[in-house]
Amino acid sequence: MLDIDDRKQAEAALADSESRFRLFADNVDEGVMVIAEGRVQDVSPVWAGMFHCRVEDAIGRPILDYAAPESHAEVLRRIATGHTEPYEILLRRHDGSTFAGRVRGR
């Protein structure tokens, strides 16, 4: 069991890590999305702008909400195989409009 000092140190380290990530995400020139178990965990402001939504509107949504239906199979295949090379698919915004995009996942 962690004593109170260990817990405080762990919480401080987590807060520092989250702060560094937010600083990074807020300053990159490309859209960045973080996913876990098929759901959006976080997105950069640039990404939100590309998809015409607010950051908080994207969080928790399924990753496939942001790919046009005809691209779902390709997205799932890339995730399943761990493929990390960039690929082009049709993406879908919150309003349902689509646009071609180049995606790379890890």
Side-chain angles (χ1 to χ4, degrees):
M1 186 154 124
L2 293 176
D3 68 26
I4 195 72
D5 288 336
D6 289 340
R7 182 180 174 142
K8 285 182 180 179
Q9 287 177 345
E11 288 173 352
L14 179 59
D16 182 56
S17 176
E18 290 173 348
S19 176
R20 284 193 324 262
F21 173 78
R22 180 53 45 209
L23 180 65
F24 165 76
D26 288 349
N27 289 287
V28 294
D29 291 335
E30 295 182 2
V32 176
M33 170 194 277
V34 177
I35 63 168
E37 298 179 12
R39 294 203 170 267
V40 177
Q41 301 299 304
D42 207 348
V43 297
S44 67
V46 169
W47 185 96
M50 291 167 52
F51 286 83
H52 302 172
C53 70
R54 298 177 312 156
V55 168
E56 54 270 22
D57 293 336
I59 295 173
R61 293 185 65 165
I63 182 69
L64 292 179
D65 282 2
Y66 297 101
E70 55 268 38
S71 296
H72 286 185
E74 183 64 14
V75 171
L76 293 172
R77 185 180 76 76
R78 299 288 180 138
I79 291 170
T81 62
H83 195 269
T84 61
E85 294 299 315
Y87 60 102
E88 292 184 11
I89 60 170
L90 198 57
L91 298 165
R92 183 174 53 192
R93 295 182 177 102
H94 270 226
D95 66 5
S97 64
T98 59
F99 65 103
R102 190 170 176 87
V103 178
R104 187 169 94 186
R106 293 187 194 181

